[in-house]
Amino acid sequence: MSIQLNHTIVAARDKHASANFLAELLDLPAPKPFGPFLVVETANEVSLDFMDVDGDVTSQHYAFLVGEDEFDAIFERIQRWHLHYWADPGHTRPNEINTNDGGRGLYFNDPNGHNMEIITRPYGG
Ligand SMILES: [Fe+2]
């Protein structure tokens, strides 16, 4: 198949804070400036291009498929940074992770209120 998601724009009140938050939490390479964006690239070369916007940021959902070791490391940072996390996308199960699809997953908010997710197995996997 020759069609792949390549990049998406992530609205931010402070693109530097937001891009660095995500890159440091997920242990991804440091964000790179490109035009008005700060670009965070993932291992499958899909990039999140953070862009400053005025006013309210509408919450979007971004999910990251991570390895078991990466999950451990990210979860450790979430706890060390005292971030809130939930087992479900509606944030009704605080301080829990889920074991959906035989893997592990959790949700957390980025500094703009975007609903971020890490999973070790794809949905239905
Ligand atoms: Fe999701």
Side-chain angles (χ1 to χ4, degrees):
M1 187 159 59
S2 62
I3 299 172
Q4 302 176 338
L5 181 65
N6 179 259
H7 65 274
T8 188
I9 294 174
V10 181
R13 285 184 290 272
D14 179 340
K15 65 183 178 183
H16 294 278
S18 299
N20 283 313
F21 168 85
L22 188 69
E24 288 174 19
L25 184 64
L26 300 187
D27 195 25
L28 290 168
K32 291 183 184 145
F34 180 76
F37 308 108
L38 261 182
V39 176
V40 176
E41 187 166 318
T42 64
N44 62 340
E45 300 179 347
V46 178
S47 66
L48 301 176
D49 300 355
F50 287 82
M51 183 179 77
D52 283 333
V53 297
D54 293 327
D56 293 338
V57 173
T58 301
S59 176
Q60 303 288 344
H61 175 54
Y62 302 95
F64 301 89
L65 182 64
V66 306
E68 295 290 344
D69 291 346
E70 284 82 4
F71 189 96
D72 289 337
I74 295 164
F75 190 32
E76 188 275 327
R77 282 189 286 276
I78 284 172
Q79 293 170 302
R80 183 155 41 90
W81 295 3
H82 303 292
L83 301 179
H84 296 292
Y85 63 94
W86 298 265
D88 63 307
H91 296 182
T92 66
R93 295 168 55 197
N95 305 314
E96 287 182 51
I97 68 170
N98 67 62
T99 55
N100 299 343
D101 299 304
R104 292 182 291 167
L106 64 79
Y107 296 78
F108 60 95
N109 283 336
D110 96 327
N112 306 283
H114 292 307
N115 194 9
M116 313 306 252
E117 176 182 16
I118 55 170
I119 48 175
T120 61
R121 302 270 176 87
Y123 286 4

